[in-house]
Amino acid sequence: AQKVTQAQTEISVVEKEDVTLDCVYETRDTTYYLFWYKQPPSGELVFLIRRNSFDEQNEISGRYSWNFQKSTSSFNFTITASQVVDSAVYFCALVDTGRRALTFGSGTRLQVQP
Amino acid sequence: DTGVSQDPRHKITKRGQNVTFRCDPISEHNRLYWYRQTLGQGPEFLTYFQNEAQLEKSRLLSDRFSAERPKGSFSTLEIQRTEQGDSAMYLCASSQYGGPGTGELFFGEGSRLTVL
C-alpha cells in the first residue's frame, strides 16, 4: 500500500525567509516515483518535480531544492528566499510500479507574508 | 492546445439529481485520470483510462459513479442520485504514457460540485 504524509498543515513565513516542506512516504516497492505539485489559489495543480527511487541526488532549480533520502523515506522541498508568489498549497505524491495513479499527501499550505 | 479543460467549472445541484462532468485532455495524451479533492485534502484517485480502456477504479468510485472515455479523447464522469457527501472538486488530469511513473500529470482547473 502507498501512503504519503505531509505533517505540516500550514506554514507562514515572511518574505525572503527559507522554508522547508516535509514529505514522508510509505511503499513496499523498491521502484517508485515521487512528485511535488503546487496548487495556487486558482486551483490548477502544477507539476514541480519527479524523482525515481534510484536517483538520490538532490536537485536544485532556481530557488527550489529537493532532498530525497531513502533511509528516512523522505522527500523534502525547500524554497530559498521565499516570495509572496510562492503562497500556495504544495502536495507531495507517490506512485510505485504496482499502481498507475499518484497517491497524494494532504498538502501543506504555505503563506508568504510581505 | 492550451491544456486540460473541464466543464462545467461549477455545478450546484439538489440531492438526488444526476450530474455529468466533461474533461478534454491534452490532445496527444493517452492517459486520463479523474481525482476528487475535498477541502483541506489532497486529490484522491477515482479512476483512470488508457485510451478508451478504463484500467483502474478506486474503491471510492461507488456504483453511483460512472466514467467513460468513448473514443479515447474526452471523458465524462457521471454521478447519479447525488448525495451531500459528493460535494467536492472533481479534477481531471492527462499524461503521455512513457513507462511506469513517467509522464507528469497535467491537471485541469476542476469542476466544483455543491450538493444541497
Side-chain angles (χ1 to χ4, degrees):
Chain A
Q2 301 179 112
K3 185 177 179 181
V4 177
T5 302
Q6 295 180 255
Q8 304 153 306
T9 305
E10 187 162 343
I11 300 175
S12 183
V13 298
V14 177
E15 209 169 16
K16 297 185 182 177
E17 285 185 17
D18 299 347
V19 58
T20 295
L21 310 181
D22 297 334
C23 172
V24 174
Y25 61 91
E26 294 177 31
T27 175
R28 295 177 187 161
D29 233 344
T30 55
T31 302
Y32 51 89
Y33 299 80
L34 295 161
F35 299 75
W36 276 94
Y37 279 81
K38 174 182 180 180
Q39 188 173 40
S42 61
E44 189 172 332
L45 282 140
V46 177
F47 168 84
L48 295 178
I49 190 171
R50 174 182 58 245
R51 213 78 183 133
N52 74 58
S53 53
F54 299 108
D55 183 0
E56 288 193 71
Q57 272 194 323
N58 291 333
E59 181 157 339
I60 298 175
S61 175
R63 297 184 297 107
Y64 295 172
S65 62
W66 290 270
N67 184 348
F68 176 29
Q69 293 198 341
K70 285 178 79 170
S71 60
T72 55
S73 297
S74 65
F75 186 42
N76 296 339
F77 173 31
T78 297
I79 302 174
T80 303
S82 59
Q83 300 176 1
V84 172
V85 293
D86 296 327
S87 297
V89 182
Y90 291 87
F91 292 97
C92 181
L94 163 74
V95 64
D96 61 31
T97 53
R99 294 285 313 279
R100 298 181 180 90
L102 298 182
T103 296
F104 285 83
S106 56
T108 297
R109 179 178 299 279
L110 173 65
Q111 291 192 341
V112 182
Q113 309 289 345
Chain B
D1 192 308
T2 56
V4 178
S5 62
Q6 293 188 243
D7 184 70
R9 294 289 312 282
H10 303 274
K11 179 72 177 178
I12 300 174
T13 191
K14 292 183 179 178
R15 190 178 55 181
Q17 299 294 305
N18 299 345
V19 296
T20 299
F21 301 114
R22 176 181 169 123
C23 171
D24 287 272
I26 294 173
S27 57
E28 63 269 22
H29 285 182
N30 52 19
R31 286 193 166 182
L32 186 147
Y33 303 77
W34 285 99
Y35 281 81
R36 181 175 70 185
Q37 186 177 22
T38 54
L39 201 61
Q41 297 299 314
E44 297 172 295
F45 169 72
L46 293 178
T47 188
Y48 120 91
F49 293 83
Q50 181 152 318
N51 300 312
E52 66 276 7
Q54 188 173 18
L55 296 186
E56 189 172 344
K57 292 195 289 188
S58 161
R59 276 175 266 178
L60 291 175
L61 214 65
S62 75
D63 292 345
R64 297 183 298 104
F65 288 70
S66 62
E68 294 182 341
R69 194 182 183 197
K71 297 181 181 178
S73 56
F74 74 92
S75 175
T76 57
L77 176 68
E78 181 183 17
I79 309 174
Q80 296 182 326
R81 305 181 303 281
T82 53
E83 302 172 356
Q84 288 182 327
D86 297 332
S87 295
M89 179 76 85
Y90 290 85
L91 299 169
C92 178
S94 69
S95 72
Q96 180 65 29
Y97 178 68
T102 64
E104 67 189 74
L105 297 188
F106 291 81
F107 281 85
E109 293 181 307
S111 292
R112 181 171 295 284
L113 173 65
T114 302
V115 181
L116 302 175

